[in-house]
Amino acid sequence: MADTGILVVDDEQEIADLVEIYLVSDGYKVFKASSAQEGLEILEKEQVQLVLLDIMMPGMNGLEMCKKIRETNNIPIIMLSAKSTDLDKILGLGTGADDYVVKPFNPLELTARVKSQLRRYTQFNPNSNAHENARNEISIRGLTINKDNHKVTVFDEEVRLTPIEFDILYLLASNPGKVFSTDEIFEKVWNEKVYEANNTVMVHIRRLRGKMKEDERQDKIITTVWGVGYKIEK
């Protein structure tokens, strides 16, 4: 765990220092930045496996930095914000963040979220030499998902997904025809008790559809069952 690097980007020094104390005590290597630009520079130079990112910062804000990271990197990003409205959370998750924690937060809850995201990311990035296992490959409606190497193609075009997006898609595709409510998706994918699952899941589904270019096709892969949830038909 000592080799696991976490980048904390927050212009409030006291918060960054507090987070660092808890993360270091859990054995993580912590890098701190007081601005988005400084954070991006650290990402280029250091081995970072997760980013804790404040939204409200002078200059480039956290939302803009998140978009920038997502252009090239799928590492977990947890947004930190004093804003707690649904719209703020939707904006944060919509830019590519994996989770959203409201200030003031319980440091123990934050470290638990960090461990959960890192566990998912580790599973999402297996040894690059691992061979493909056909038994763990699903092909349905032009979509192919390989569980071993986490490769996803839509009509032979590879789609890059974050670990959360992959897990949602794999859940739906491995249960063809079954409708999952947002609460069920949240509990199965996040492995947590439901808390404001609806908006969180909806934002990730929207991101998934965008990456899969669903708006360009009449025959959608992911079907919305209004008032119930989501499914992928056989």
Side-chain angles (χ1 to χ4, degrees):
M1 190 180 291
D3 294 331
T4 302
I6 297 179
L7 172 61
V8 180
V9 186
D10 198 315
D11 63 327
E12 294 185 64
Q13 187 69 42
E14 298 83 0
I15 291 179
D17 290 344
L18 175 65
V19 172
E20 179 184 28
I21 290 170
Y22 278 86
L23 292 175
V24 169
S25 69
D26 275 349
Y28 298 110
K29 184 177 182 180
V30 176
F31 304 96
K32 291 188 295 183
S34 58
S35 70
Q37 190 57 50
E38 184 184 358
L40 291 172
E41 291 171 3
I42 291 173
L43 273 176
E44 288 185 4
K45 296 184 295 184
E46 306 291 349
Q47 291 294 316
V48 174
Q49 281 74 46
L50 182 143
V51 179
L52 290 170
L53 178 57
D54 182 39
I55 290 182
M56 300 298 292
M57 292 186 293
M60 182 188 295
N61 63 34
L63 298 176
E64 294 168 325
M65 181 178 176
C66 184
K67 288 180 183 177
K68 194 76 176 172
I69 294 172
R70 282 290 175 252
E71 290 175 4
T72 57
N73 207 319
N74 71 346
I75 60 174
I77 299 174
I78 301 177
M79 289 288 199
L80 307 176
S81 178
K83 295 186 175 183
S84 60
T85 67
D86 287 344
L87 178 58
D88 294 315
K89 293 180 181 179
I90 289 171
L91 285 173
L93 295 171
T95 57
D98 299 282
D99 205 351
Y100 187 108
V101 177
V102 177
K103 297 178 181 179
F105 49 80
N106 182 328
L108 294 178
E109 179 189 349
L110 181 63
T111 55
R113 299 279 187 91
V114 167
K115 290 174 184 176
S116 174
Q117 292 296 335
L118 285 172
R119 188 163 53 246
R120 188 186 307 279
Y121 182 65
T122 302
Q123 294 169 350
F124 186 76
N125 291 273
N127 189 304
S128 58
N129 294 322
H131 67 280
E132 293 188 12
N133 184 337
R135 289 175 301 173
N136 283 332
E137 188 168 278
I138 297 172
S139 294
I140 183 171
R141 300 178 67 80
L143 168 71
T144 301
I145 309 174
N146 188 285
K147 180 75 168 176
D148 290 328
N149 61 17
H150 286 76
K151 182 178 179 181
V152 174
T153 58
V154 178
F155 296 106
D156 297 323
E157 182 179 342
E158 186 169 353
V159 180
R160 292 182 56 187
L161 302 180
T162 66
I164 287 278
E165 292 163 353
F166 180 91
D167 285 353
I168 292 173
L169 189 62
Y170 190 83
L171 172 67
L172 297 177
S174 58
N175 296 275
K178 177 175 170 57
V179 181
F180 287 89
S181 69
T182 53
D183 285 355
E184 288 175 317
I185 293 173
F186 190 89
E187 289 178 346
K188 290 181 181 296
V189 171
W190 276 260
N191 293 314
E192 295 180 19
K193 292 181 179 179
V194 174
Y195 74 103
E196 300 169 358
N198 192 42
N199 283 335
T200 301
V201 171
M202 284 173 58
V203 172
H204 283 90
I205 291 282
R206 190 181 307 139
R207 274 168 38 191
L208 252 178
R209 284 174 161 161
K211 291 183 177 183
M212 293 163 61
K213 300 180 180 178
E214 291 272 76
D215 59 333
E216 298 178 9
R217 291 187 298 274
Q218 288 186 332
D219 189 17
K220 311 295 185 187
I221 294 174
I222 299 175
T223 303
T224 300
V225 182
W226 294 107
V228 184
Y230 303 94
K231 66 177 178 177
I232 293 179
E233 288 286 7
K234 297 180 182 179

